[in-house]
Amino acid sequence: PDAITVQELANRMAEKGSDLVKALFKMGMPVTINQTIDQDTAELLVTEFGHNIQRVSESDVDIQVDTVEEAEDKLQPRPPVVTIMGHVDHGKTSLLDALRGTDVVRGEAGGITQHIGAYQVTLKDKSKITFLDTPGHEAFTEMRARGANVTDIVVLVVAANDGLMPQTIEAINHTKAAGVPMIVAINKVDLDSANPQRVRERLLEHEVVVEEMGGDVQNVEVSALKKMGLDALIEKIQLQAELLELRANPDREAEGTVIEAKLDKGRGPVATILVNRGTLKVGDVFVVGAESGKIRALVDDKGRQIKEAGPAMPVEILGLSGVPMAGDPLQVVENEARAREVAEYRAGVIQNKRTTNAPASLESMFSALK
Ligand code: GTP
Ligand code: MG
């Protein structure tokens, strides 16, 4: 019953997913990156790659199979994670501001989003939606290249006056490559020059067929500025989320993914983590990428200190040994000695890879994973 996807195993081994697929193929198992393999096969692969991980894995969170599949009865519904993508200035941040009732855009240098914003919106019915606001699509690509597919749904923002632009098309391609369902938000419909029908038509050229054009991609006309169409957008996100039946076990040690991380002048290394499963708590000891630490504080998207964060919640963590990388997995472990051991081991693996392999560009990593 225990299984792990090839991708997840690759992440845990700090190897390229495509290399694992190749090795499996040679072993007579043609599987794709998102397919699961059983524990025996996983162990075989680990040995095949000559990793000392075998030694570490006996008691290690790295390959522990219990981190993989949850008992059905422990799973509970979790909020969807929605990534907002689209061309520069088409209104991604404005749309999020409108949905959250905030004004992030005005605080941004030149109105350009420089870092990923991760927010959770609580709706009237108390359900929640997690939103990631990305500066361009690089962040999405980078995370995907590193095997972290945190996004459940993409909202593609297209300004109705501008229409499809290069980054719109890139966003479409990335979304398709990731196999993530998309909802098109046609924004700025308050403008006289807005032509939403033209957007729907142009989308056809990129095989995005919205409902009005006989397809099954949801779309909605909105104005972030005039706060029009927001309820309809929320409804469509909820509808899409329902189809996905998103669930996670909140009652276990947390696993998460680094959304972004930096060295803060006053606070030291900080990272925004999206909790994938379990509940992250103040005092938890963890490993994240090649770093480790103990949660000193958890800060939510409104800057409030909180005691714990459950599945699909974005949260800033303090108490890191250093700055991890976007896409790094976070795992809570039993004690600090263990955390250091795993982190040091991983740092060794990463160091090793850096000296033996020519550094892979993001784009090549991206294509390697397709
Ligand atoms: P980047 O982060 O730079 O990629 O931009 P963005 O997509 O986040 O766009 P942003 O929300 O910063 O909006 C860009 C500009 O469009 C701002 O001047 C907004 O005020 C304006 N804008 C956003 N939504 C609307 C809208 O619905 N109608 C009109 N008329 N203007 C809008
Ligand atoms: Mg923005």
Side-chain angles (χ1 to χ4, degrees):
D2 291 323
I4 184 168
T5 67
V6 175
Q7 180 68 76
E8 222 172 319
L9 181 63
N11 296 346
R12 281 157 208 268
M13 288 166 68
E15 289 286 350
K16 273 196 204 166
S18 56
D19 289 345
L20 263 64
V21 171
K22 264 184 235 156
L24 282 163
F25 190 80
K26 281 192 201 141
M27 288 156 69
M29 276 172 280
V31 295
T32 65
I33 198 129
N34 291 319
Q35 268 177 296
T36 54
I37 52 176
D38 60 29
Q39 188 180 355
D40 289 347
T41 311
E43 274 173 16
L44 207 63
L45 258 189
V46 172
T47 327
E48 184 79 4
F49 275 75
H51 271 286
N52 298 332
I53 277 181
Q54 192 64 15
R55 175 185 63 78
V56 180
S57 76
E58 260 123 41
S59 60
D60 185 19
V61 286
D62 252 8
I63 310 197
Q64 272 301 21
V65 178
D66 76 319
T67 59
V68 179
E69 254 180 25
E70 301 281 356
E72 188 65 18
D73 60 344
K74 292 194 178 137
L75 295 174
Q76 287 179 28
R78 66 159 176 87
V81 178
V82 178
T83 298
I84 313 275
M85 295 174 85
H87 194 72
V88 178
D89 268 1
H90 277 199
K92 301 178 288 294
T93 306
S94 300
L95 190 58
L96 254 173
D97 276 345
L99 291 168
R100 295 171 63 221
T102 53
D103 194 357
V104 171
V105 169
R106 207 164 348 172
E108 288 178 342
I112 297 170
T113 304
Q114 308 279 6
H115 68 103
I116 306 179
Y119 311 100
Q120 202 165 57
V121 173
T122 304
L123 306 170
K124 283 174 209 130
D125 65 1
K126 298 272 181 277
S127 66
K128 294 181 160 100
I129 301 176
T130 300
F131 286 102
L132 303 180
D133 181 18
T134 60
H137 58 262
E138 288 88 353
F140 183 83
T141 314
E142 181 175 338
M143 299 247 285
R144 223 176 85 69
R146 308 202 60 234
N149 285 320
V150 295
T151 303
D152 300 311
I153 298 166
V154 165
V155 167
L156 179 72
V157 176
V158 187
N161 57 332
D162 243 9
L164 267 62
M165 298 298 275
Q167 279 188 292
T168 318
I169 293 156
E170 280 174 34
I172 291 171
N173 293 335
H174 290 311
T175 305
K176 280 190 179 163
V180 174
M182 177 165 73
I183 297 168
V184 182
I186 304 178
N187 189 33
K188 308 198 186 186
V189 294
D190 57 285
L191 295 173
D192 287 340
S193 52
N195 189 346
Q197 184 56 22
R198 171 106 185 103
V199 172
R200 285 187 278 267
E201 284 165 15
R202 286 283 320 280
L203 283 169
L204 287 175
E205 293 163 28
H206 302 276
E207 275 108 50
V208 177
V209 189
V210 300
E211 285 167 338
E212 285 90 333
M213 309 299 278
D216 53 13
V217 176
Q218 302 194 85
N219 80 109
V220 55
E221 293 182 15
V222 297
S223 165
L225 198 72
K226 305 272 189 233
K227 302 195 180 357
M228 279 158 48
L230 301 180
D231 289 343
L233 175 59
I234 292 286
E235 245 169 60
K236 286 178 196 291
I237 292 171
Q238 285 182 312
L239 192 69
Q240 188 62 255
E242 257 167 51
L243 294 174
L244 297 173
E245 293 184 43
L246 304 164
R247 296 185 304 164
N249 176 6
D251 300 317
R252 50 161 294 153
E253 63 289 2
E255 283 184 25
T257 305
V258 177
I259 302 297
E260 61 182 338
K262 63 176 180 199
L263 190 62
D264 188 281
K265 264 192 206 137
R267 300 182 299 165
V270 295
T272 302
I273 303 291
L274 184 77
V275 177
N276 303 121
R277 63 178 104 199
T279 298
L280 190 59
K281 301 183 177 112
V282 171
D284 276 350
V285 174
F286 63 89
V287 185
V288 58
E291 304 296 339
S292 62
K294 182 172 182 171
I295 306 280
R296 213 168 63 223
L298 291 171
V299 183
D300 76 3
D301 59 357
K302 294 178 187 71
R304 297 179 300 216
Q305 293 226 5
I306 53 173
K307 291 217 164 64
E308 53 178 52
M313 179 154 182
V315 69
E316 205 172 50
I317 63 167
L318 273 68
L320 287 149
S321 62
V323 182
M325 283 161 68
D328 275 345
L330 175 142
Q331 283 140 340
V332 168
V333 294
E334 66 265 35
N335 58 47
E336 277 159 273
R338 184 95 208 103
R340 269 194 304 274
E341 189 186 342
V342 178
E344 273 164 26
Y345 172 75
R346 285 191 184 163
V349 171
I350 292 166
Q351 198 55 45
N352 209 20
K353 282 178 74 73
R354 285 200 183 125
T355 48
T356 51
N357 299 345
S361 75
L362 276 182
E363 240 358 84
S364 72
M365 285 175 78
F366 180 62
S367 56
L369 287 176
K370 265 195 253 182

